[in-house]
Amino acid sequence: MKFGKRIKEQIQESLPEWRDKFLRYKELKNLISSPAPAESIFVGLLNTEIDKFNAFFVEQEEDFIIHHKELQSRIQRLVVKCGHNDEMFREEISEIRKDIVNFHGEMVLLVNYSNINYTGLAKILKKYDKRTGGGLRSRFIQKVLHQPFFKTDLVSRLVREWETTMDAVFPVTIVEAEAERCAAVTSAAAGEGIFRNTIAALLTMKEMRRASSTYSAFSLPPLKMSDSDLVLRSVHLSSPIPIP
């Protein structure tokens, strides 16, 4: 699949409030096709896009840190209330577990946001160099590697922490898992909730980061199996789409 089509589909599958935060790939591609794509204009547009990525990514990251602390406090209060009798608080336990899954899904979407915008920059720079015969991509990507939106270590760490928390604090029984799976499948099929968005993000990340003959120094590293756990809780039981 061509990247222009991939990013268009990814934007459509993203959360509505995120859709104007992605790379304006088509606009940049059209500029490259113009008779004389001046480097100063092209670089200026790229810098504007990077500023947009950084502002959005940092804002989301800060919100995640706050939400992370709030969820931790809710869990601690619930554990104290439950004691050894969680039957009385089954509904509250289910609600917190659902909130964690949604929070987990949003963080996965942010990791994918970083991946797809970086990949888009690398690809559009490659097209520019091919059109002009220059070597802008190598110089510009070195700048991109130090941008806040590219650094996903914190978000990825939070995702893994919540995977562990879910398993340790809220173990799901077979009956509960099946009930949640059925509810999630219904929501995803209807285009509701975050499951559909998360599934699309996972499949996009796995495709973009797979090892291939086109892999280069500017490609993101292949997605390791352990990294796939980023969305395991969100989609493994709930997805109606087989995960490769």
Side-chain angles (χ1 to χ4, degrees):
M1 181 188 298
K2 291 186 176 180
F3 185 78
K5 183 177 181 181
R6 182 184 303 285
I7 193 170
K8 182 179 179 180
E9 289 184 355
Q10 191 59 53
I11 292 171
Q12 292 172 343
E13 292 287 355
S14 70
L15 299 174
E17 61 270 26
W18 289 32
R19 290 176 184 165
D20 62 345
K21 310 301 183 184
F22 286 84
L23 180 71
R24 293 179 294 174
Y25 186 81
K26 185 175 181 180
E27 182 178 331
L28 291 166
K29 186 177 177 181
N30 289 340
L31 177 62
I32 293 172
S33 301
S34 63
E39 182 171 312
S40 59
I41 297 175
F42 183 67
V43 170
L45 287 175
L46 292 183
N47 284 329
T48 298
E49 292 295 276
I50 287 177
D51 289 343
K52 177 178 69 179
F53 302 157
N54 286 337
F56 178 71
F57 188 90
V58 170
E59 180 182 13
Q60 293 299 311
E61 196 173 53
E62 290 174 349
D63 287 346
F64 289 163
I65 292 171
I66 294 171
H67 197 180
H68 168 74
K69 293 177 180 178
E70 290 175 345
L71 278 174
Q72 283 183 320
S73 296
R74 286 176 64 191
I75 291 172
Q76 289 170 359
R77 291 195 299 269
L78 184 60
V79 169
V80 171
K81 285 196 301 182
C82 287
H84 297 291
N85 183 12
D86 59 1
E87 289 297 323
M88 295 177 60
F89 302 95
R90 179 174 294 275
E91 185 175 340
E92 190 171 350
I93 291 172
S94 178
E95 189 64 31
I96 291 182
R97 186 162 59 213
K98 186 189 303 181
D99 289 347
I100 293 172
V101 170
N102 288 337
F103 180 43
H104 175 273
E106 289 176 4
M107 290 190 290
V108 170
L109 293 181
L110 192 64
V111 173
N112 181 58
Y113 173 84
S114 171
N115 284 188
I116 200 163
N117 284 308
Y118 167 81
T119 302
L121 286 171
K123 287 185 176 295
I124 205 69
L125 283 160
K126 181 179 179 180
K127 288 182 179 295
Y128 182 84
D129 282 355
K130 184 177 180 180
R131 174 77 168 79
T132 63
L136 178 62
R137 179 166 69 153
S138 182
R139 303 194 311 271
F140 200 87
I141 286 296
Q142 291 305 311
K143 171 184 176 179
V144 172
L145 297 180
H146 297 285
Q147 299 302 310
F149 88 89
F150 182 75
K151 299 177 180 179
T152 61
D153 291 351
L154 173 60
V155 179
S156 297
R157 178 175 60 79
L158 289 177
V159 169
R160 287 189 288 270
E161 284 184 13
W162 282 108
E163 289 281 353
T164 302
T165 299
M166 281 286 288
D167 291 336
V169 182
F170 300 123
V172 181
T173 67
I174 294 175
V175 174
E176 288 172 331
E178 180 61 20
E180 289 184 359
R181 186 193 72 80
C182 292
V185 168
T186 301
S187 295
E192 301 171 353
I194 200 169
F195 290 108
R196 181 183 179 90
N197 310 103
T198 308
I199 293 165
L202 172 63
L203 297 178
T204 297
M205 282 194 289
K206 294 188 77 172
E207 177 64 22
M208 286 195 306
R209 297 181 60 175
R210 65 183 174 86
S212 69
S213 58
T214 60
Y215 188 82
S216 74
F218 302 103
S219 301
L220 290 165
L223 197 64
K224 299 176 183 178
M225 183 59 68
S226 59
D227 292 330
S228 299
D229 290 341
L230 288 173
V231 290
L232 184 60
R233 175 64 63 179
S234 295
V235 300
H236 181 62
L237 293 174
S238 60
S239 173
I241 303 174
I243 301 175

